[in-house]
């Protein structure tokens, strides 16, 4: 599946180049560290990766652990 434009909340979404590369690298190598800067789209990159893993049958129910301090 292409990591191109998709729809988010009824609006078109096109991932940034570094987000596409992150997902591609994680799929290819099997491991990753999502260490982009603040506001660079780390959460969206992780969601994109989980979707790609599900499409390939490599994950069934991805889990996102978030520190409670972040949710405040």
């Amino acid at each position: 599946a292409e990591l191109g434009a998709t729809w988010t909340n009824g609006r078109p979404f096109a991932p940034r180049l570094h987000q596409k590369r992150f997902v591609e690298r994680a799929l290819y190598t099997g491991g990753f560290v999502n260490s982009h800067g603040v506001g660079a789209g780390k959460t969206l990159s992780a969601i994109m990766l989980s979707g790609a893993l599900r499409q390939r049958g490599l994950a069934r129910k991805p889990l996102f652990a978030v520190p409670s301090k972040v949710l405040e």
Side-chain angles (χ1 to χ4, degrees), residues 19 34 44 47-48 50 52 59 69:
Q19 292 171 317
N34 195 355
L44 194 50
I47 292 169
M48 290 168 46
S50 69
K69 190 172 187 178

Side-chain angles (χ1 to χ4, degrees), residues 1-68:
E2 163 114 13
L3 294 174
T6 58
W7 291 90
T8 306
N9 294 330
R11 297 180 316 203
F13 163 75
R16 297 177 188 162
L17 181 59
H18 71 275
Q19 292 171 317
K20 289 181 184 180
R21 287 183 177 163
F22 165 76
V23 174
E24 292 167 352
R25 189 175 306 123
L27 290 171
Y28 180 74
T29 64
F32 63 92
V33 174
N34 195 355
S35 60
H36 303 301
V38 174
K42 292 181 292 292
T43 302
L44 194 50
S45 297
I47 292 169
M48 290 168 46
L49 176 59
S50 69
L53 290 170
R54 289 187 69 195
Q55 285 179 343
R56 289 163 176 75
L58 300 172
R60 289 189 320 176
K61 295 169 82 175
L63 172 70
F64 291 89
V66 181
S68 61

